[in-house]
Each structure stands twice: as C-alpha cells, then as structure tokens.
Amino acid sequence: MKRVIWLLGVVVALASCNKKEAAEPYVPHINPVEGLFILNEGTFTYANASLSYYDIGGDSVSNHLFFKVNNAPIGDVGQSLAKVGDDLYIVVNNSKYIYKVDAATILYKAKIDGFTSPRNMLAVSDDKAYVTDLTSPGFWSLNLNTLEKRFVETGSATEAMVKVGGEVFMSNWSNYYIAGASNNTLQVIDCESDELVGTIEVAQEPNAMVVDKNNHVWVSCSGGYEAPQDPAIICIDAANHQIVKRFDLSEGSYPNGLAIDGAGETLYFMNGGMSALNVYKMSVDDAQLPETPFITADGRLFYGMRVNPDNGEIYITDAKNYVQNGDLLRYSAAGTLISTHELGLIPSFMLFN
C-alpha cells in the first residue's frame, strides 16, 4: 500500500513539473544588434508559412518563431516583412491580412485585414505605410497609429517599392488580374498627398528595385513570366524620372532579386533561366553588365538575396524543390560560401533587424 501511495506521489509530481514547463512561454533569441528575419512562404493554400531568424554574430538560425510564441500559424503564403520602430509587420498574401508583432519577442499585437492581395509594405513616415496589391488597381495607404487604411487607385496592380526623398516608386509587375492594366511601368507616388505624380515606362514585369549612392533607382524586369521577350535591368534618375541606363539581356534571361551593398556602390542581381539563377555583381558606375557569374547556383534553386550593409556578406535563400525545407546560404564579400542553415518551406523575403 505504501508503495502504491509512493508511486502516485511520483506521478503527481511529474505531472506538476510537466504542467509548469508547458506554461512557460517560448522566448525567441532575437539579436537586437545584428540579425536577419526570413519569411518562409509555405505552400500555396496550405497555410504553412513560417518565420525564421538568423543571428549573424552567432551564425545560428531559429525557425517557426511566430508559431512557437503565439501558438498559431502565420497563414497562407508569407509574402514580405516590414519593420517600423519596435514593430514587425508580416504580410500574408493569400490570407489577405497583415500581422503586427513585437519585433523583439514576436508576440502578437494586431491583425490588419480587409486587403484583397497584399504584397509588400513600406513605411513612408513614422505614421504611414504603403501596401501594394497584386489583384487591385492601386495600393493601400495605412495609418500606423490607428491601423486604418484606404485604397488609392492608380490603374495598375502594384508590387515592389522604394522611397527616394518625398516620392515612392512602385512597380507594376502583373496585369493578369486586371484587364488592360500596365505590366511594364513604374508609378511615382507623392508621399504627402498619396497621389500619382508620374509614370515611367520600363520593360515587362519589373520585379525588384534598389536605390544607389546617386539616388538612382535600379529595376530588374523579367521580360514576362511565360515567354520572356525583353528582359532588362534599368537605371532611373529619381530626380527627373528619366532612364539613364538600360541593359537589355538576351531572350530567355530572367533577371530578378536585386540587392545593393551598404555604400550603394555595388549592385547584385540574379539571372539565368527561371529555375537556374546565378548571382552577378557590378559597380553602379559600370557601362555594361558582367558576363560571368559572381556566385554560381551549382544545382541550388536561388530564390531570395540580401547584402549585409556592414560587412558586404551575401545571404541567399535556396528554395530547393519547393516541397522540402529550404536553406540560408551565407557567403563572404568575396563570394565564398561560409555556412548553410536549414530554414522553413520556400524561404524568400529577408529583412535586417
């Protein structure tokens, strides 16, 4: 009898310990000095997007942060990230909402819904951000204090964004959902009035943009998803909206994934077939594109790219075959692979903390 009572006591004690451990919240390791958020898209319609974090100093990755902290999934297709002050915004495309979380703890703060197909978010002031949209002819102006939004019609779907001075340049990447809309232009928006103040014709499907040391906007244009016709990399003077350089690529090329170093002097881009992209490197002052790759994929499926503004290291995501977890590849400024870390499913958008 005493032995039975003793065993019952052990079971109760173990149960109490397990209960106490389960109640302890998960605290992510978010390096406040140097780190990289990585959003894993997940499979379309499966609602299995996830958030990873790469600690640069420790050369380590933490995965599934949003789920571990909030005990809930992110949703269907993690599209992009934006950080404003102490807040991190997670844009979830097919679920049609944006999550606002604490950037240090990943704790849920708010859910902003009512979008049609949100793509990218850019803070244009301390109080306002723009959100582009794939299936609607314009963009959303979001009040960061009240989280109220209004739709601004511009006539074309919107995608990538960069801000130069008081203007935002938006790419019109797709016209699949909007008959007659443009898919070969950039639209220029006045940040104060939210009004369309200019349109710049580029090449088909402008997909990514960066700004260099001269306040020139560089845009990569795939030339069209199904049958690329006019792929190009184009440089635009933000002051007068005029094209200052245009580099046309051969048919079958697929330039995308633009990135730039911290000084705004060295441009990186991906190019090749849609399933076999290599990384190329050039000075923003060059008069022609490089002929040989700076980093070769070597069978990997390069998907996203960022350059560390402090030391020039290059971070590239490998989506593999889209059905298994991808990797983060860390390269030195000289293009040598330093380390590889497993991420989530289809790692894409990266954001420095």
Side-chain angles (χ1 to χ4, degrees):
M1 185 67 178
K2 288 182 179 179
R3 180 175 177 81
V4 171
I5 294 172
W6 178 81
L7 286 173
L8 286 173
V10 171
V11 170
V12 171
L14 288 173
S16 299
C17 289
N18 288 338
K19 185 176 181 181
K20 181 180 180 181
E21 289 177 2
E24 293 179 356
Y26 175 80
V27 180
H29 175 65
I30 305 296
N31 189 327
V33 178
E34 50 176 14
L36 186 69
F37 289 105
I38 305 123
L39 187 59
N40 305 288
E41 292 181 4
T43 308
F44 181 62
T45 73
Y46 279 65
N48 56 357
S50 64
L51 181 67
S52 300
Y53 189 79
Y54 174 61
D55 182 341
I56 295 174
D59 191 28
S60 61
V61 163
S62 301
N63 290 316
H64 301 289
L65 295 185
F66 185 90
F67 185 84
K68 289 177 179 178
V69 172
N70 300 292
N71 197 30
I74 287 177
D76 188 12
V77 185
Q79 185 65 41
S80 63
L81 301 166
K83 188 170 181 285
V84 187
D86 296 328
D87 297 321
L88 179 70
Y89 295 82
I90 306 171
V91 182
V92 194
N93 174 247
N94 201 43
S95 292
K96 309 181 192 306
Y97 54 65
I98 297 175
Y99 276 131
K100 176 183 177 180
V101 302
D102 186 288
T105 65
I106 315 301
L107 278 171
Y108 169 90
K109 285 189 171 183
K111 179 181 178 182
I112 314 164
D113 54 18
F115 297 98
T116 53
S117 186
R119 298 289 287 181
N120 293 285
M121 177 174 167
L122 174 70
V124 298
S125 71
D126 293 337
D127 304 316
K128 182 168 67 174
Y130 290 161
V131 179
T132 54
D133 198 288
L134 179 63
T135 63
S136 300
F139 67 97
W140 301 87
S141 181
L142 174 66
N143 185 311
L144 294 173
N145 297 318
T146 65
L147 301 186
E148 295 177 344
K149 64 185 187 304
R150 68 182 185 90
F151 187 73
V152 180
E153 189 162 337
T154 64
S156 293
T158 50
E159 179 69 5
M161 291 180 286
V162 292
K163 182 176 182 287
V164 184
E167 295 180 331
V168 167
F169 293 74
M170 291 184 181
S171 67
N172 305 128
W173 171 65
S174 174
N175 59 3
Y176 181 84
Y177 298 96
I178 307 170
S182 170
N183 73 336
N184 68 339
T185 53
L186 305 183
Q187 292 179 322
V188 187
I189 310 299
D190 182 280
C191 295
E192 288 292 330
S193 63
D194 296 344
E195 293 179 351
L196 175 66
V197 294
T199 300
I200 306 164
E201 184 174 340
V202 286
Q204 285 191 70
E205 296 192 358
N207 52 44
M209 290 186 288
V210 295
V211 181
D212 71 12
K213 64 179 181 179
N214 304 310
N215 277 341
H216 288 169
V217 176
W218 290 80
V219 54
S220 58
C221 305
S222 69
Y225 179 77
E226 295 182 352
Q229 298 284 329
D230 59 344
I233 293 177
I234 296 170
C235 177
I236 297 162
D237 188 335
N240 58 23
H241 304 172
Q242 298 298 308
I243 293 176
V244 294
K245 294 180 184 179
R246 175 173 176 139
F247 302 101
D248 291 299
L249 292 98
S250 60
E251 188 173 332
S253 298
Y254 195 77
N256 69 92
L258 282 181
I260 199 161
D261 70 340
E265 297 176 347
T266 304
L267 186 73
Y268 300 80
F269 64 93
M270 296 183 187
N271 190 32
M274 284 185 287
S275 60
L277 298 171
N278 295 315
V279 174
Y280 293 79
K281 172 184 175 181
M282 63 181 287
S283 167
V284 297
D285 298 320
D286 285 350
Q288 61 184 21
L289 294 178
E291 296 182 357
T292 57
F294 175 61
I295 298 173
T296 56
D298 293 329
R300 300 183 180 95
L301 183 58
F302 285 174
Y303 203 65
M305 178 170 58
R306 285 291 184 272
V307 177
N308 190 320
D310 295 325
N311 60 16
E313 289 184 347
I314 303 118
Y315 306 102
I316 301 173
T317 60
D318 175 9
K320 295 190 174 180
N321 59 1
Y322 300 112
V323 295
Q324 61 179 307
N325 287 341
D327 287 336
L328 175 67
L329 310 173
R330 176 191 178 193
Y331 290 88
S332 71
T336 301
L337 182 62
I338 300 173
S339 60
T340 302
H341 300 275
E342 184 175 332
L343 298 170
L345 188 61
I346 315 180
S348 179
F349 196 94
M350 290 178 279
L351 178 71
F352 285 102
N353 189 19

